[in-house]
Amino acid sequence: MSSTSERNSDRPRILTGDTPTGQLHLGHWVGSVRRRVELQHTHDCYFILANLHAFTTRADAPAAIRRDTLEIVRDYLAMGIDPAKATVFLQSEVPAISELTFLFAMLLPFNRVMRNPTLKDEIKVKNLGENYSFGFPLYAVGQTADILAFRPVGVPVGEDQVPHLELTREVARRFNQMYCAVGDTIEDDDHVREGGVFPIPRAEVGAVGRLVGTDGVQKMSKSLGNAIFITDSAKEIRKKVSKIYTGRQSPTEPGDVTNALFQYVDAFIDDPARVAELKDRYSRGDNLGDGHVKVEVAEAIDRLIAPMRERRKEFEGDDGRILEILRDGCARANATAERTLALAKEACGLGFFPRSLTIG
Ligand code: ATP
Ligand code: MG
């Protein structure tokens, strides 16, 4: 356990993660997870399961949150995340995050949090109306703490997370300026050198920053019923892909190669020559039907997912193994987050007594 963190500790650190509101889908793969699988060889990687934040929209479904948390770990393993290289942990078992959330909540004007476009969008598309909990917008502040507790240099995420990252950067700057005497003209990259506790982390948006869902409109999202999951069978994939709406009437009608279907062509068909050919014929209306393109897209997705489905089988049914991975990850995550919290508390005059924390 400690050997992994020691081996990684001189590498640049990244943090990212997922909320257990369902299982992982293709959007996660192209937006963030594919990059994580690469970075675990070169970076000190922390992957958070934001299970407390899942309560913002599902407080009445704790059993489902617990189930999804464990299922996402299985998805990680299936997608190629290696717990011997990366630290996979539970937000709920790292108390430093909650403590930092409280401190950071003082550094952000309430109106600033509510102006976050991703938050506004979620309130709309998830039909939260006006009766969302006080905790719902608090998650945006909490996410700044999820990130900063690990003092990462980068956060690999999809496009929708960029506003959250902007908020995180603001919190980090403000903290460093208010409590660490970092001047307000200091460049972001120089904050730590100037004595700041927090680096100003960058968002690293994946190759496809926003994969559209099979509804052809909203972002593919686990809570919107428009997702292709990595556990879907070839048949389910074909069925879902066949529903992607383009509005095109006939194979001889010149088609729009920026439509939802062609976003899938770009994201999942590997051969650039074939992609170019499909685009050429589709845009000219050269007898290329949507149905044909959909079959090719579904096959390409199945080729990507099939090995993940296969690998996932190794981890099905055995919660003990998953819990061991999390136990190990939580211990490592606490070691890092407690160090950050101690520095932050020291900086703002709360450094009274040392403490230690163990995961049983
Ligand atoms: P929810 O519906 O609960 O918000 P989600 O599907 O949006 O779930 P998150 O857990 O919020 O998933 O996001 C996890 C990570 O995956 C984030 O970095 C997010 O930007 C990325 N991501 C999610 N959906 C997509 C998508 N459709 N395209 C690209 N990246 C995505
Ligand atoms: Mg989301």
Side-chain angles (χ1 to χ4, degrees):
M1 170 177 46
S2 59
S3 65
T4 310
S5 46
E6 277 159 26
R7 197 170 58 231
N8 289 349
S9 60
D10 50 358
R11 297 173 171 185
R13 191 179 291 155
I14 60 147
L15 174 129
T16 187
D18 302 277
T19 318
T21 43
Q23 283 183 239
L24 295 194
H25 52 65
L26 290 176
H28 296 113
W29 174 250
V30 295
S32 175
V33 182
R34 180 164 54 193
R35 187 81 186 113
R36 298 181 207 176
V37 173
E38 291 163 10
L39 290 173
Q40 63 185 352
H41 301 290
T42 52
H43 286 62
D44 186 18
C45 294
Y46 288 83
F47 302 138
I48 184 172
L49 291 155
N51 57 344
L52 286 175
H53 289 185
F55 279 75
T56 57
T57 53
R58 299 175 102 188
D60 57 347
I65 295 173
R66 191 184 172 93
R67 184 200 60 219
D68 287 337
T69 304
L70 302 186
E71 291 303 322
I72 291 182
V73 179
R74 292 187 168 94
D75 288 342
Y76 280 178
L77 297 167
M79 287 167 145
I81 287 178
D82 177 357
K85 293 197 168 74
T87 299
V88 178
F89 68 97
L90 299 166
Q91 188 182 45
S92 60
E93 295 303 323
V94 180
I97 293 173
S98 302
E99 294 174 63
L100 287 171
T101 300
F102 200 84
L103 285 174
F104 292 164
M106 312 307 159
L107 301 182
L108 287 165
F110 183 73
N111 290 342
R112 169 68 185 92
V113 176
M114 298 313 291
R115 269 204 318 273
N116 178 324
T118 299
L119 211 61
K120 283 194 196 161
D121 212 41
E122 277 186 280
I123 290 170
K124 204 160 60 201
V125 300
K126 293 181 183 173
N127 286 323
L128 302 181
E130 305 227 309
N131 289 323
Y132 52 82
S133 62
F134 186 83
F136 178 73
L138 184 64
Y139 105 76
V141 182
Q143 196 170 319
T144 70
D146 295 338
I147 297 169
L148 294 176
F150 295 87
R151 301 198 295 153
V153 292
V155 186
V157 282
E159 219 171 78
D160 62 310
Q161 296 297 309
V162 171
H164 288 315
L165 245 295
E166 211 30 67
L167 211 60
T168 308
R169 291 159 61 81
E170 277 177 43
V171 167
R173 285 189 202 106
R174 230 162 267 164
F175 189 99
N176 292 341
Q177 288 160 358
M178 197 176 284
Y179 300 122
C180 313
V182 173
D184 53 13
T185 56
I186 298 297
E187 297 287 333
D188 285 347
D189 287 347
D190 295 333
H191 268 239
V192 172
R193 201 174 324 137
E194 292 293 318
V197 169
F198 298 107
I200 316 298
R202 280 184 306 273
E204 295 177 13
V205 177
V208 182
R210 180 191 183 276
L211 184 70
V212 68
T214 52
D215 56 1
V217 183
Q218 302 290 354
K219 167 185 100 72
M220 185 178 283
S221 184
K222 36 185 150 61
S223 33
L224 295 182
N226 63 359
I228 298 175
F229 296 100
I230 69 148
T231 46
D232 283 349
S233 66
K235 195 170 157 203
E236 283 164 323
I237 296 168
R238 267 200 308 277
K239 202 164 145 205
K240 288 183 178 179
V241 171
S242 74
K243 292 202 174 121
I244 299 172
Y245 180 73
T246 66
R248 186 164 174 258
Q249 303 297 333
S250 95
T252 51
E253 180 185 317
D256 171 10
V257 292
T258 63
N259 69 17
L261 179 57
F262 269 80
Q263 290 183 39
Y264 282 70
V265 169
D266 275 326
F268 300 109
I269 296 184
D270 284 335
D271 177 4
R274 183 62 186 152
V275 172
E277 189 185 351
L278 288 172
K279 284 185 175 171
D280 176 55
R281 289 189 53 200
Y282 194 82
S283 57
R284 288 191 291 110
D286 180 19
N287 202 23
L288 179 64
D290 281 26
H292 185 94
V293 181
K294 286 176 178 176
V295 168
E296 277 194 47
V297 166
E299 281 171 0
I301 291 174
D302 189 54
R303 272 198 300 281
L304 169 71
I305 287 181
M308 297 180 188
R309 263 190 329 243
E310 208 43 47
R311 206 162 33 225
R312 203 178 188 286
K313 285 193 191 137
E314 283 174 45
F315 305 102
E316 262 150 35
D318 183 6
D319 278 357
R321 197 161 158 199
I322 304 298
L323 290 170
E324 259 328 295
I325 289 170
L326 288 171
R327 187 197 309 276
D328 180 27
C330 290
R332 285 193 243 158
N334 271 315
T336 303
E338 284 289 305
R339 266 197 304 275
T340 305
L341 181 68
L343 291 171
K345 285 171 83 176
E346 188 64 41
C348 51
L350 295 169
F352 288 103
F353 314 112
R355 76 176 191 197
S356 65
L357 214 159
T358 42
I359 295 285

